[in-house]
Every structure is written in structure tokens, then in C-alpha cells.
Amino acid sequence: GESVGLHLPTLSVQEGDNSIINCAYSNSASDYFIWYKQESGKGPQFIIDIRSNMDKRQGQRVTVLLNKTVKHLSLQIAATQPGDSAVYFCAENQAGTALIFGKGTTLSVSS
Amino acid sequence: DAGVIQSPRHEVTEMGQEVTLRCKPISGHNSLFWYRQTMMRGLELLIYFNNNVPIDDSGMPEDRFSAKMPNASFSTLKIQPSEPRDSAVYFCASSLDRASTDTQYFGPGTRLTVL
């Protein structure tokens, strides 16, 4: 089965709200995690990453939180905008091999 | 930087035909990845190359699929013969190296429809 998965397949928010997208992983040996954003008709686009020696990392309007105790990853988007509407994937690295992607969460932002 | 380039962007073919998808990685990147994306299975890694050498092809569905990387700036994914179940979006990605901590940059994808 999938070692990386998402709790919710769809998230709907109002413009200006904060969004939180969650991800669970099963391999405690994973040491690198990435969030990608995929807009309709495009390839996945890198958003932010985090290594296992960190529990939080911030970017522009985005924050990734890593809880290794419960093997949980989240992406927080501040002041969500319509342009944030997309499918968001988490991905993890296992033992130095290629990334494994979760199924994705669709974020829908309404004005 | 032009990013990862894929061609064609769309391909419609009939069952049994040969399909060739093309990818040009970002200049200077040493690793290249081929993925397939479907609604049912999400993003699946098919194969990846490092320095033009196939490292892991365990994701290649079956012998009908083959991939080559004759040089650092070009790779092909071939399906022969194609089947309707091969219909999907195929992405190529590249990274500086194969290390997990190197960000993968994706191309726009090729949408394949096999009738």
C-alpha cells in the first residue's frame, strides 16, 4: 500500500483564510519531505521541503510542519488566494531512493 | 532557464501503435525521472536515470515499456504496443543529482490517449 497518504482528498476554503493540508507517512526512516503544487494541465511545482532534523520550515506564505513522533506532515498556507487552488502532493524519501508521492489533496479557494 | 521540456504535449493513438515520448532535462542536471499519473494510482515513478544510466526501473509496468537516455540532454519513453490502459499523463522530471534531497523539477507532461 501507499506509504505516503493524505487525510483529506478535498479542502474548500474562503479567500483570505488559512489552509492546512495534512499528510501521513509510514516509514520512520524517511528523512526528506517535499510539498508540490499541481495546477490543472501542468506538472507538479516545488513549494517547500523539510529535512527530518527540523520540525518547521517557513517560506513565503507557506509553512511546513513535521511531527516525527506521529509521522505527520502538514502544509499551511496563509491568506489563501484563488491562485492557490490546485492539487497538493506530499512526497517522502525512503533510504535514498526516488521520492514517493501521496495521492494528493485538492484545494479549492472561493472568493 | 527553459525548465524541463517534454514533447509532444498531447498524443492520441490507436491500440497497438508505438508511442514515443521525449524529454529534455534542465541543463546541468544529472538525474532524470519518468512518472505516470492517473486518477486511480496518482503519480507513479516508472524509471530514473543518473548520469544517463538507468538506476531503478522497477516501476516500469511491463516489457511494452522501455526508456533510454542516450545523452545528458535527451531521454525517451517508448510504449510498444500501446494499450488503452496506458492512457495517462506522463511526466519527466530532472534534478541535480539522484540524492533524495535534490529537488525534482517537473516538465509540463504528455497527455497520452490510447483508443
Side-chain angles (χ1 to χ4, degrees):
Chain A
E2 288 281 336
S3 66
V4 178
L6 292 159
H7 293 310
L8 296 174
T10 306
L11 177 64
S12 297
V13 301
Q14 291 286 324
E15 181 178 2
D17 288 350
N18 295 332
S19 302
I20 300 176
I21 302 172
N22 296 304
C23 179
Y25 64 96
S26 59
N27 188 348
S28 57
S30 292
D31 56 8
Y32 181 58
F33 305 87
I34 301 181
W35 281 101
Y36 280 88
K37 170 186 179 183
Q38 186 176 22
E39 296 174 282
S40 181
K42 297 182 179 180
Q45 178 186 7
F46 172 85
I47 302 175
I48 192 168
D49 60 2
I50 189 168
R51 302 178 199 280
S52 59
N53 61 351
M54 303 171 68
D55 54 20
K56 180 180 181 179
R57 192 169 186 212
Q58 289 185 292
Q60 187 177 14
R61 282 202 306 118
V62 295
T63 301
V64 55
L65 299 178
L66 176 62
N67 186 329
K68 295 180 287 294
T69 301
V70 296
K71 290 182 284 189
H72 184 266
L73 189 70
S74 69
L75 176 70
Q76 300 179 0
I77 305 173
T80 313
Q81 302 167 0
D84 295 326
S85 294
V87 178
Y88 289 80
F89 294 93
C90 63
E92 67 171 305
N93 160 254
Q94 296 179 338
T97 60
L99 292 170
I100 295 178
F101 287 80
K103 292 292 188 187
T105 291
T106 299
L107 176 64
S108 178
V109 183
S110 53
S111 302
Chain B
D1 192 340
V4 176
I5 299 173
Q6 291 187 248
S7 65
R9 293 294 311 277
H10 302 273
E11 177 80 27
V12 180
T13 191
E14 293 187 343
M15 183 174 62
Q17 296 298 307
E18 177 179 295
V19 174
T20 300
L21 311 181
R22 297 174 177 80
C23 175
K24 176 179 169 56
I26 293 172
S27 178
H29 282 191
N30 296 318
S31 290
L32 182 141
F33 306 80
W34 281 103
Y35 290 87
R36 178 172 66 177
Q37 186 177 42
T38 61
M39 289 296 293
M40 291 296 294
R41 300 175 67 86
L43 264 170
E44 302 174 280
L45 177 67
L46 300 177
I47 185 171
Y48 77 95
F49 296 84
N50 182 251
N51 292 323
N52 312 337
V53 176
I55 303 300
D56 183 356
D57 65 353
S58 59
M60 296 286 264
E62 48 197 270
D63 292 344
R64 296 184 299 106
F65 286 68
S66 63
K68 294 182 180 179
M69 192 165 186
N71 58 62
S73 59
F74 184 67
S75 177
T76 59
L77 178 67
K78 185 177 293 186
I79 308 172
Q80 166 64 19
S82 59
E83 297 182 2
R85 59 185 168 137
D86 301 330
S87 297
V89 180
Y90 291 80
F91 289 104
C92 176
S94 70
S95 67
L96 276 172
D97 209 333
R98 66 174 172 176
S100 62
T101 53
D102 288 330
T103 303
Q104 294 182 26
Y105 296 88
F106 283 75
T110 295
R111 181 173 294 277
L112 173 65
T113 302
V114 182
L115 303 175

mmCIF file of all heavy atoms in Angstrom, chain A residues 40-85:
data_model
loop_
_atom_site.group_PDB
_atom_site.id
_atom_site.type_symbol
_atom_site.label_atom_id
_atom_site.label_comp_id
_atom_site.label_asym_id
_atom_site.label_seq_id
_atom_site.Cartn_x
_atom_site.Cartn_y
_atom_site.Cartn_z
ATOM 1 N N SER A 40 -4.022 22.620 -12.812
ATOM 2 C CA SER A 40 -4.637 21.862 -13.891
ATOM 3 C C SER A 40 -3.832 21.995 -15.186
ATOM 4 O O SER A 40 -3.500 23.106 -15.616
ATOM 5 C CB SER A 40 -6.066 22.354 -14.122
ATOM 6 O OG SER A 40 -6.690 21.624 -15.159
ATOM 7 N N GLY A 41 -3.484 20.861 -15.770
ATOM 8 C CA GLY A 41 -2.776 20.859 -17.045
ATOM 9 C C GLY A 41 -1.286 21.125 -16.945
ATOM 10 O O GLY A 41 -0.614 21.285 -17.965
ATOM 11 N N LYS A 42 -0.772 21.163 -15.725
ATOM 12 C CA LYS A 42 0.653 21.440 -15.541
ATOM 13 C C LYS A 42 1.317 20.339 -14.727
ATOM 14 O O LYS A 42 0.654 19.518 -14.102
ATOM 15 C CB LYS A 42 0.847 22.785 -14.843
ATOM 16 C CG LYS A 42 0.325 23.975 -15.629
ATOM 17 C CD LYS A 42 0.609 25.271 -14.891
ATOM 18 C CE LYS A 42 0.104 26.465 -15.686
ATOM 19 N NZ LYS A 42 0.367 27.747 -14.968
ATOM 20 N N GLY A 43 2.628 20.351 -14.734
ATOM 21 C CA GLY A 43 3.365 19.415 -13.918
ATOM 22 C C GLY A 43 3.465 19.895 -12.484
ATOM 23 O O GLY A 43 3.247 21.082 -12.193
ATOM 24 N N PRO A 44 3.773 18.995 -11.553
ATOM 25 C CA PRO A 44 3.941 19.395 -10.153
ATOM 26 C C PRO A 44 5.036 20.450 -10.012
ATOM 27 O O PRO A 44 6.074 20.371 -10.667
ATOM 28 C CB PRO A 44 4.330 18.088 -9.460
ATOM 29 C CG PRO A 44 3.773 17.008 -10.335
ATOM 30 C CD PRO A 44 3.905 17.546 -11.727
ATOM 31 N N GLN A 45 4.794 21.404 -9.142
ATOM 32 C CA GLN A 45 5.726 22.503 -8.906
ATOM 33 C C GLN A 45 6.176 22.482 -7.458
ATOM 34 O O GLN A 45 5.348 22.422 -6.548
ATOM 35 C CB GLN A 45 5.044 23.833 -9.232
ATOM 36 C CG GLN A 45 5.889 25.061 -8.990
ATOM 37 C CD GLN A 45 5.103 26.345 -9.203
ATOM 38 O OE1 GLN A 45 3.895 26.319 -9.406
ATOM 39 N NE2 GLN A 45 5.777 27.468 -9.155
ATOM 40 N N PHE A 46 7.474 22.516 -7.257
ATOM 41 C CA PHE A 46 8.037 22.505 -5.905
ATOM 42 C C PHE A 46 7.541 23.704 -5.096
ATOM 43 O O PHE A 46 7.537 24.834 -5.580
ATOM 44 C CB PHE A 46 9.560 22.527 -5.999
ATOM 45 C CG PHE A 46 10.269 22.708 -4.692
ATOM 46 C CD1 PHE A 46 10.532 21.623 -3.886
ATOM 47 C CD2 PHE A 46 10.665 23.968 -4.271
ATOM 48 C CE1 PHE A 46 11.192 21.782 -2.676
ATOM 49 C CE2 PHE A 46 11.322 24.141 -3.071
ATOM 50 C CZ PHE A 46 11.587 23.055 -2.269
ATOM 51 N N ILE A 47 7.128 23.433 -3.859
ATOM 52 C CA ILE A 47 6.719 24.522 -2.969
ATOM 53 C C ILE A 47 7.733 24.707 -1.862
ATOM 54 O O ILE A 47 8.309 25.780 -1.678
ATOM 55 C CB ILE A 47 5.345 24.239 -2.334
ATOM 56 C CG1 ILE A 47 4.269 24.032 -3.386
ATOM 57 C CG2 ILE A 47 4.953 25.395 -1.412
ATOM 58 C CD1 ILE A 47 2.929 23.626 -2.783
ATOM 59 N N ILE A 48 7.936 23.670 -1.088
ATOM 60 C CA ILE A 48 8.800 23.768 0.069
ATOM 61 C C ILE A 48 9.205 22.366 0.496
ATOM 62 O O ILE A 48 8.500 21.402 0.235
ATOM 63 C CB ILE A 48 8.079 24.503 1.230
ATOM 64 C CG1 ILE A 48 9.054 24.871 2.352
ATOM 65 C CG2 ILE A 48 6.907 23.679 1.766
ATOM 66 C CD1 ILE A 48 8.456 25.838 3.383
ATOM 67 N N ASP A 49 10.359 22.250 1.124
ATOM 68 C CA ASP A 49 10.814 20.958 1.616
ATOM 69 C C ASP A 49 11.262 21.076 3.059
ATOM 70 O O ASP A 49 11.420 22.182 3.591
ATOM 71 C CB ASP A 49 11.928 20.389 0.737
ATOM 72 C CG ASP A 49 13.167 21.298 0.658
ATOM 73 O OD1 ASP A 49 13.175 22.362 1.322
ATOM 74 O OD2 ASP A 49 14.096 20.951 -0.089
ATOM 75 N N ILE A 50 11.460 19.942 3.678
ATOM 76 C CA ILE A 50 11.934 19.920 5.051
ATOM 77 C C ILE A 50 12.692 18.621 5.284
ATOM 78 O O ILE A 50 12.319 17.569 4.765
ATOM 79 C CB ILE A 50 10.765 20.076 6.046
ATOM 80 C CG1 ILE A 50 11.284 20.268 7.475
ATOM 81 C CG2 ILE A 50 9.815 18.877 5.969
ATOM 82 C CD1 ILE A 50 10.198 20.709 8.461
ATOM 83 N N ARG A 51 13.745 18.703 6.061
ATOM 84 C CA ARG A 51 14.508 17.515 6.396
ATOM 85 C C ARG A 51 14.097 17.032 7.780
ATOM 86 O O ARG A 51 13.533 17.783 8.572
ATOM 87 C CB ARG A 51 15.998 17.833 6.358
ATOM 88 C CG ARG A 51 16.455 18.358 5.000
ATOM 89 C CD ARG A 51 17.947 18.708 4.989
ATOM 90 N NE ARG A 51 18.268 19.590 3.876
ATOM 91 C CZ ARG A 51 18.442 19.186 2.636
ATOM 92 N NH1 ARG A 51 18.343 17.931 2.341
ATOM 93 N NH2 ARG A 51 18.735 20.055 1.675
ATOM 94 N N SER A 52 14.417 15.807 8.070
ATOM 95 C CA SER A 52 13.927 15.195 9.301
ATOM 96 C C SER A 52 14.566 15.767 10.554
ATOM 97 O O SER A 52 14.084 15.515 11.662
ATOM 98 C CB SER A 52 14.147 13.682 9.265
ATOM 99 O OG SER A 52 15.518 13.386 9.115
ATOM 100 N N ASN A 53 15.631 16.542 10.407
ATOM 101 C CA ASN A 53 16.252 17.144 11.590
ATOM 102 C C ASN A 53 15.605 18.480 11.951
ATOM 103 O O ASN A 53 16.079 19.201 12.829
ATOM 104 C CB ASN A 53 17.752 17.330 11.379
ATOM 105 C CG ASN A 53 18.077 18.246 10.226
ATOM 106 O OD1 ASN A 53 17.189 18.630 9.466
ATOM 107 N ND2 ASN A 53 19.339 18.602 10.083
ATOM 108 N N MET A 54 14.521 18.794 11.240
ATOM 109 C CA MET A 54 13.783 20.026 11.511
ATOM 110 C C MET A 54 12.336 19.667 11.800
ATOM 111 O O MET A 54 11.848 18.613 11.391
ATOM 112 C CB MET A 54 13.838 20.960 10.295
ATOM 113 C CG MET A 54 15.243 21.324 9.853
ATOM 114 S SD MET A 54 15.236 22.205 8.280
ATOM 115 C CE MET A 54 14.451 23.729 8.758
ATOM 116 N N ASP A 55 11.630 20.551 12.492
ATOM 117 C CA ASP A 55 10.206 20.318 12.698
ATOM 118 C C ASP A 55 9.350 21.422 12.097
ATOM 119 O O ASP A 55 8.118 21.314 12.044
ATOM 120 C CB ASP A 55 9.868 20.138 14.183
ATOM 121 C CG ASP A 55 10.379 21.286 15.032
ATOM 122 O OD1 ASP A 55 10.649 22.374 14.488
ATOM 123 O OD2 ASP A 55 10.512 21.097 16.255
ATOM 124 N N LYS A 56 10.000 22.456 11.604
ATOM 125 C CA LYS A 56 9.245 23.551 10.992
ATOM 126 C C LYS A 56 10.135 24.280 10.010
ATOM 127 O O LYS A 56 11.324 24.476 10.257
ATOM 128 C CB LYS A 56 8.755 24.511 12.084
ATOM 129 C CG LYS A 56 7.960 25.704 11.577
ATOM 130 C CD LYS A 56 7.516 26.583 12.737
ATOM 131 C CE LYS A 56 6.699 27.773 12.271
ATOM 132 N NZ LYS A 56 6.253 28.604 13.416
ATOM 133 N N ARG A 57 9.515 24.686 8.913
ATOM 134 C CA ARG A 57 10.234 25.493 7.945
ATOM 135 C C ARG A 57 9.247 26.436 7.285
ATOM 136 O O ARG A 57 8.138 26.028 6.935
ATOM 137 C CB ARG A 57 10.909 24.626 6.899
ATOM 138 C CG ARG A 57 11.903 25.394 6.046
ATOM 139 C CD ARG A 57 12.758 24.508 5.202
ATOM 140 N NE ARG A 57 13.787 25.305 4.525
ATOM 141 C CZ ARG A 57 14.274 25.010 3.344
ATOM 142 N NH1 ARG A 57 13.835 23.936 2.696
ATOM 143 N NH2 ARG A 57 15.194 25.770 2.805
ATOM 144 N N GLN A 58 9.659 27.668 7.115
ATOM 145 C CA GLN A 58 8.748 28.668 6.550
ATOM 146 C C GLN A 58 9.244 29.181 5.223
ATOM 147 O O GLN A 58 10.437 29.368 5.010
ATOM 148 C CB GLN A 58 8.584 29.832 7.541
ATOM 149 C CG GLN A 58 7.782 29.469 8.775
ATOM 150 C CD GLN A 58 7.538 30.666 9.668
ATOM 151 O OE1 GLN A 58 8.482 31.170 10.259
ATOM 152 N NE2 GLN A 58 6.304 31.105 9.761
ATOM 153 N N GLY A 59 8.278 29.424 4.352
ATOM 154 C CA GLY A 59 8.573 30.058 3.084
ATOM 155 C C GLY A 59 7.687 31.281 2.949
ATOM 156 O O GLY A 59 7.161 31.795 3.946
ATOM 157 N N GLN A 60 7.475 31.689 1.740
ATOM 158 C CA GLN A 60 6.610 32.838 1.521
ATOM 159 C C GLN A 60 5.156 32.384 1.586
ATOM 160 O O GLN A 60 4.676 31.655 0.745
ATOM 161 C CB GLN A 60 6.897 33.452 0.156
ATOM 162 C CG GLN A 60 6.157 34.752 -0.085
ATOM 163 C CD GLN A 60 6.515 35.378 -1.423
ATOM 164 O OE1 GLN A 60 7.103 34.734 -2.284
ATOM 165 N NE2 GLN A 60 6.165 36.632 -1.600
ATOM 166 N N ARG A 61 4.469 32.747 2.611
ATOM 167 C CA ARG A 61 3.069 32.388 2.881
ATOM 168 C C ARG A 61 2.869 30.915 3.164
ATOM 169 O O ARG A 61 1.745 30.479 3.426
ATOM 170 C CB ARG A 61 2.131 32.789 1.715
ATOM 171 C CG ARG A 61 1.764 34.244 1.640
ATOM 172 C CD ARG A 61 0.482 34.473 0.848
ATOM 173 N NE ARG A 61 0.516 33.882 -0.481
ATOM 174 C CZ ARG A 61 -0.323 32.923 -0.880
ATOM 175 N NH1 ARG A 61 -1.244 32.446 -0.065
ATOM 176 N NH2 ARG A 61 -0.232 32.451 -2.114
ATOM 177 N N VAL A 62 3.880 30.113 3.107
ATOM 178 C CA VAL A 62 3.732 28.687 3.394
ATOM 179 C C VAL A 62 4.641 28.267 4.540
ATOM 180 O O VAL A 62 5.738 28.794 4.698
ATOM 181 C CB VAL A 62 4.013 27.820 2.151
ATOM 182 C CG1 VAL A 62 2.984 28.068 1.071
ATOM 183 C CG2 VAL A 62 5.419 28.051 1.625
ATOM 184 N N THR A 63 4.139 27.313 5.303
ATOM 185 C CA THR A 63 4.898 26.738 6.398
ATOM 186 C C THR A 63 4.699 25.234 6.362
ATOM 187 O O THR A 63 3.563 24.760 6.189
ATOM 188 C CB THR A 63 4.410 27.271 7.758
ATOM 189 O OG1 THR A 63 4.553 28.699 7.790
ATOM 190 C CG2 THR A 63 5.215 26.662 8.900
ATOM 191 N N VAL A 64 5.764 24.491 6.508
ATOM 192 C CA VAL A 64 5.655 23.044 6.601
ATOM 193 C C VAL A 64 6.028 22.637 8.017
ATOM 194 O O VAL A 64 7.015 23.120 8.577
ATOM 195 C CB VAL A 64 6.529 22.330 5.549
ATOM 196 C CG1 VAL A 64 7.973 22.757 5.632
ATOM 197 C CG2 VAL A 64 6.395 20.817 5.681
ATOM 198 N N LEU A 65 5.215 21.784 8.584
ATOM 199 C CA LEU A 65 5.444 21.258 9.927
ATOM 200 C C LEU A 65 5.648 19.758 9.843
ATOM 201 O O LEU A 65 4.913 19.065 9.123
ATOM 202 C CB LEU A 65 4.254 21.575 10.836
ATOM 203 C CG LEU A 65 3.942 23.052 11.053
ATOM 204 C CD1 LEU A 65 2.693 23.186 11.937
ATOM 205 C CD2 LEU A 65 5.109 23.769 11.698
ATOM 206 N N LEU A 66 6.615 19.269 10.563
ATOM 207 C CA LEU A 66 6.916 17.844 10.581
ATOM 208 C C LEU A 66 6.853 17.332 12.011
ATOM 209 O O LEU A 66 7.555 17.854 12.890
ATOM 210 C CB LEU A 66 8.306 17.590 9.998
ATOM 211 C CG LEU A 66 8.833 16.163 10.028
ATOM 212 C CD1 LEU A 66 7.937 15.237 9.195
ATOM 213 C CD2 LEU A 66 10.264 16.100 9.534
ATOM 214 N N ASN A 67 6.039 16.356 12.239
ATOM 215 C CA ASN A 67 5.935 15.714 13.547
ATOM 216 C C ASN A 67 6.374 14.268 13.373
ATOM 217 O O ASN A 67 5.603 13.419 12.920
ATOM 218 C CB ASN A 67 4.495 15.787 14.070
ATOM 219 C CG ASN A 67 4.381 15.256 15.483
ATOM 220 O OD1 ASN A 67 5.128 14.364 15.887
ATOM 221 N ND2 ASN A 67 3.441 15.789 16.233
ATOM 222 N N LYS A 68 7.607 14.006 13.740
ATOM 223 C CA LYS A 68 8.162 12.675 13.517
ATOM 224 C C LYS A 68 7.576 11.657 14.500
ATOM 225 O O LYS A 68 7.572 10.465 14.227
ATOM 226 C CB LYS A 68 9.681 12.721 13.629
ATOM 227 C CG LYS A 68 10.329 13.567 12.523
ATOM 228 C CD LYS A 68 11.832 13.598 12.639
ATOM 229 C CE LYS A 68 12.291 14.462 13.788
ATOM 230 N NZ LYS A 68 11.976 15.897 13.574
ATOM 231 N N THR A 69 7.103 12.126 15.615
ATOM 232 C CA THR A 69 6.553 11.217 16.625
ATOM 233 C C THR A 69 5.343 10.475 16.078
ATOM 234 O O THR A 69 5.200 9.268 16.271
ATOM 235 C CB THR A 69 6.163 11.986 17.884
ATOM 236 O OG1 THR A 69 7.313 12.652 18.402
ATOM 237 C CG2 THR A 69 5.607 11.043 18.938
ATOM 238 N N VAL A 70 4.487 11.221 15.387
ATOM 239 C CA VAL A 70 3.287 10.600 14.827
ATOM 240 C C VAL A 70 3.365 10.467 13.316
ATOM 241 O O VAL A 70 2.376 10.123 12.670
ATOM 242 C CB VAL A 70 2.023 11.400 15.228
ATOM 243 C CG1 VAL A 70 1.832 11.351 16.736
ATOM 244 C CG2 VAL A 70 2.122 12.850 14.757
ATOM 245 N N LYS A 71 4.527 10.757 12.768
ATOM 246 C CA LYS A 71 4.762 10.640 11.325
ATOM 247 C C LYS A 71 3.723 11.417 10.528
ATOM 248 O O LYS A 71 2.990 10.874 9.694
ATOM 249 C CB LYS A 71 4.807 9.163 10.921
ATOM 250 C CG LYS A 71 6.064 8.470 11.453
ATOM 251 C CD LYS A 71 6.172 7.016 11.021
ATOM 252 C CE LYS A 71 5.240 6.162 11.828
ATOM 253 N NZ LYS A 71 5.439 4.713 11.622
ATOM 254 N N HIS A 72 3.705 12.684 10.795
ATOM 255 C CA HIS A 72 2.712 13.566 10.191
ATOM 256 C C HIS A 72 3.392 14.804 9.638
ATOM 257 O O HIS A 72 4.294 15.377 10.250
ATOM 258 C CB HIS A 72 1.677 13.952 11.251
ATOM 259 C CG HIS A 72 0.565 14.777 10.719
ATOM 260 N ND1 HIS A 72 0.584 16.155 10.764
ATOM 261 C CD2 HIS A 72 -0.609 14.435 10.133
ATOM 262 C CE1 HIS A 72 -0.527 16.612 10.225
ATOM 263 N NE2 HIS A 72 -1.276 15.597 9.837
ATOM 264 N N LEU A 73 2.919 15.207 8.485
ATOM 265 C CA LEU A 73 3.448 16.364 7.769
ATOM 266 C C LEU A 73 2.277 17.265 7.424
ATOM 267 O O LEU A 73 1.204 16.765 7.044
ATOM 268 C CB LEU A 73 4.134 15.882 6.501
ATOM 269 C CG LEU A 73 4.963 16.831 5.657
ATOM 270 C CD1 LEU A 73 6.246 17.203 6.375
ATOM 271 C CD2 LEU A 73 5.281 16.177 4.311
ATOM 272 N N SER A 74 2.456 18.555 7.550
ATOM 273 C CA SER A 74 1.379 19.453 7.138
ATOM 274 C C SER A 74 1.933 20.651 6.387
ATOM 275 O O SER A 74 3.082 21.045 6.581
ATOM 276 C CB SER A 74 0.561 19.924 8.349
ATOM 277 O OG SER A 74 1.336 20.790 9.163
ATOM 278 N N LEU A 75 1.084 21.182 5.547
ATOM 279 C CA LEU A 75 1.407 22.388 4.790
ATOM 280 C C LEU A 75 0.390 23.445 5.167
ATOM 281 O O LEU A 75 -0.815 23.217 5.023
ATOM 282 C CB LEU A 75 1.349 22.125 3.292
ATOM 283 C CG LEU A 75 1.585 23.338 2.386
ATOM 284 C CD1 LEU A 75 3.048 23.782 2.468
ATOM 285 C CD2 LEU A 75 1.203 23.025 0.937
ATOM 286 N N GLN A 76 0.864 24.560 5.644
ATOM 287 C CA GLN A 76 -0.013 25.658 5.994
ATOM 288 C C GLN A 76 0.179 26.780 4.984
ATOM 289 O O GLN A 76 1.309 27.180 4.718
ATOM 290 C CB GLN A 76 0.283 26.159 7.417
ATOM 291 C CG GLN A 76 0.094 25.091 8.470
ATOM 292 C CD GLN A 76 0.414 25.587 9.868
ATOM 293 O OE1 GLN A 76 0.789 26.735 10.076
ATOM 294 N NE2 GLN A 76 0.270 24.695 10.845
ATOM 295 N N ILE A 77 -0.924 27.258 4.463
ATOM 296 C CA ILE A 77 -0.889 28.371 3.522
ATOM 297 C C ILE A 77 -1.615 29.534 4.167
ATOM 298 O O ILE A 77 -2.800 29.428 4.511
ATOM 299 C CB ILE A 77 -1.555 28.008 2.180
ATOM 300 C CG1 ILE A 77 -0.910 26.757 1.584
ATOM 301 C CG2 ILE A 77 -1.458 29.179 1.194
ATOM 302 C CD1 ILE A 77 -1.619 26.233 0.346
ATOM 303 N N ALA A 78 -0.924 30.627 4.338
ATOM 304 C CA ALA A 78 -1.515 31.801 4.964
ATOM 305 C C ALA A 78 -2.234 32.656 3.922
ATOM 306 O O ALA A 78 -1.796 32.759 2.771
ATOM 307 C CB ALA A 78 -0.433 32.629 5.652
ATOM 308 N N ALA A 79 -3.356 33.242 4.349
ATOM 309 C CA ALA A 79 -4.100 34.164 3.478
ATOM 310 C C ALA A 79 -4.291 33.558 2.099
ATOM 311 O O ALA A 79 -3.836 34.103 1.083
ATOM 312 C CB ALA A 79 -3.382 35.504 3.398
ATOM 313 N N THR A 80 -4.982 32.433 2.081
ATOM 314 C CA THR A 80 -5.152 31.681 0.840
ATOM 315 C C THR A 80 -5.792 32.530 -0.245
ATOM 316 O O THR A 80 -6.746 33.276 0.002
ATOM 317 C CB THR A 80 -6.002 30.441 1.094
ATOM 318 O OG1 THR A 80 -5.524 29.765 2.260
ATOM 319 C CG2 THR A 80 -5.918 29.483 -0.073
ATOM 320 N N GLN A 81 -5.262 32.388 -1.447
ATOM 321 C CA GLN A 81 -5.726 33.163 -2.593
ATOM 322 C C GLN A 81 -6.306 32.231 -3.653
ATOM 323 O O GLN A 81 -5.962 31.049 -3.697
ATOM 324 C CB GLN A 81 -4.557 33.951 -3.179
ATOM 325 C CG GLN A 81 -3.888 34.879 -2.205
ATOM 326 C CD GLN A 81 -2.548 35.411 -2.718
ATOM 327 O OE1 GLN A 81 -2.128 35.078 -3.829
ATOM 328 N NE2 GLN A 81 -1.892 36.237 -1.914
ATOM 329 N N PRO A 82 -7.140 32.742 -4.540
ATOM 330 C CA PRO A 82 -7.678 31.885 -5.609
ATOM 331 C C PRO A 82 -6.592 31.175 -6.409
ATOM 332 O O PRO A 82 -6.778 30.043 -6.848
ATOM 333 C CB PRO A 82 -8.475 32.878 -6.465
ATOM 334 C CG PRO A 82 -8.917 33.927 -5.502
ATOM 335 C CD PRO A 82 -7.775 34.083 -4.538
ATOM 336 N N GLY A 83 -5.459 31.836 -6.578
ATOM 337 C CA GLY A 83 -4.357 31.227 -7.302
ATOM 338 C C GLY A 83 -3.726 30.046 -6.596
ATOM 339 O O GLY A 83 -2.915 29.325 -7.189
ATOM 340 N N ASP A 84 -4.099 29.842 -5.353
ATOM 341 C CA ASP A 84 -3.595 28.680 -4.614
ATOM 342 C C ASP A 84 -4.397 27.420 -4.923
ATOM 343 O O ASP A 84 -4.009 26.322 -4.512
ATOM 344 C CB ASP A 84 -3.638 28.946 -3.105
ATOM 345 C CG ASP A 84 -2.696 30.060 -2.685
ATOM 346 O OD1 ASP A 84 -1.623 30.208 -3.292
ATOM 347 O OD2 ASP A 84 -3.055 30.800 -1.727
ATOM 348 N N SER A 85 -5.506 27.582 -5.616
ATOM 349 C CA SER A 85 -6.330 26.427 -5.959
ATOM 350 C C SER A 85 -5.534 25.468 -6.841
ATOM 351 O O SER A 85 -5.022 25.851 -7.900
ATOM 352 C CB SER A 85 -7.596 26.872 -6.713
ATOM 353 O OG SER A 85 -8.430 27.639 -5.881
#
